[in-house]
Amino acid sequence: MDSITQFSLGAVIGIAVSPKKTPKVALISGLVATIPDLDILLSYPDALTSTIQHRGFSHSLFYLALISPLIAGLLYKFFDLISYFRWLILVFLVLTTHPILDSFTSYGTSLLLPFSDFKIMIGSIFIIDPIYTIPLSISIGYIFIKKKVLMINNFSFNTIALIFSQVYLLFTFIVQQSILPSGKAYATPTPFNSVVWRVVVVEDDFIKQYFVNIFKGKGVEIKVENRHYLQSINQQVVDKYANFSSGFYNLEVVDDKLILKDFRMGSITNPSFSFIIAELINDQWVAVLPSRNSMNFNADNMFGNE
């Protein structure tokens, strides 16, 4: 999810755990919650590896559990606000809920490292969803401005916001499962909502896509040729990306270049992520260091306007 959402969720959890409901606790909790995303500062040899390694070890539940006592100890030493035990619970929860929430998006998340490098990607919520984020942000904004928790009929709005957002997350998962067809298929909401969904189905010869409005039903279906047979041109890179994308990718030859397309995000004709992995030189395919494929991305395609 986006940084605002992760900060807001962490801050709300911190306020829920801490006996002191202060802006300082909310701020510290929110900042701790963003620690896993510091992996964006790391550099990798190529764009494809960088894409795969994001949400890697820094999003592992095991590693985050290991560093929680250290971070809690530092916070206890420098911020005499709550007990070490409370800091430990707070830090553990805000760190681990970050990657768990990320795993509900389309981008793979390495929750199980070092025991498995499998990327978990449920895909039931878009990376930015106002319905999930706004209640959390309102709660924290009120605390920062008024220096206290918003109360509604003797109930903490902080708790209400936290429960509402998680119930909404469950709702998106239930909707996804209800529209997901059998076979190798993937369903994910279009940007900023949970009403219109994009469904991708992988068949032996074709990959097809259609959109589903939960109030209006299924839209027009489009197909592209399944070209996984081209993977031998750069097998090593394709294998790495196949694991990352759970096999939801395709290959296409454009202007003597072999393009690897990730169709979990964007659309199957106009994906958000695509990489040049080989070039045709003197009638021979040559594997190259993967680089981002520059293309005119059309955001309208993400809503079914092909």
Side-chain angles (χ1 to χ4, degrees), residues 293-306:
N293 177 42
S294 58
M295 59 188 299
N296 295 320
F297 180 70
N298 185 356
D300 287 343
N301 292 346
M302 300 180 72
F303 294 91
N305 301 318
E306 294 287 348

Side-chain angles (χ1 to χ4, degrees), residues 86-97:
R86 287 280 188 172
W87 275 126
L88 180 59
I89 295 175
L90 185 156
V91 169
F92 175 77
L93 288 177
V94 301
L95 282 180
T96 55
T97 52

Side-chain angles (χ1 to χ4, degrees), residues 22-89:
T22 66
K24 183 176 287 188
V25 169
L27 178 61
I28 293 172
S29 301
L31 292 175
V32 170
T34 63
I35 287 176
D37 280 342
L38 292 179
D39 65 342
I40 62 172
L41 301 177
L42 301 176
S43 60
Y44 295 95
D46 59 80
L48 185 142
T49 302
S50 178
T51 299
I52 292 174
Q53 293 302 321
H54 179 49
R55 295 191 186 176
F57 71 91
S58 68
H59 286 62
S60 160
L61 297 178
F62 177 77
Y63 291 135
L64 292 175
L66 281 183
I67 67 170
S68 291
L70 174 61
I71 296 176
L74 292 173
L75 292 175
Y76 179 65
K77 179 178 180 180
F78 292 104
F79 300 99
D80 187 18
L81 297 171
I82 56 179
S83 68
Y84 171 76
F85 181 69
R86 287 280 188 172
W87 275 126
L88 180 59
I89 295 175

Side-chain angles (χ1 to χ4, degrees), residues 227 229-230 233 250-261 278 280 285:
R227 293 177 173 172
Y229 61 85
L230 293 169
I233 296 173
N250 201 11
L251 297 163
E252 183 177 359
V253 176
V254 180
D255 296 331
D256 293 336
K257 293 180 174 62
L258 181 63
I259 311 297
L260 186 153
K261 295 185 174 184
L280 188 62
W285 281 107

Side-chain angles (χ1 to χ4, degrees), residues 57 60-63 66 110-117:
F57 71 91
S60 160
L61 297 178
F62 177 77
Y63 291 135
L66 281 183
S110 300
L111 292 181
L112 305 179
L113 284 176
F115 310 105
S116 171
D117 64 353

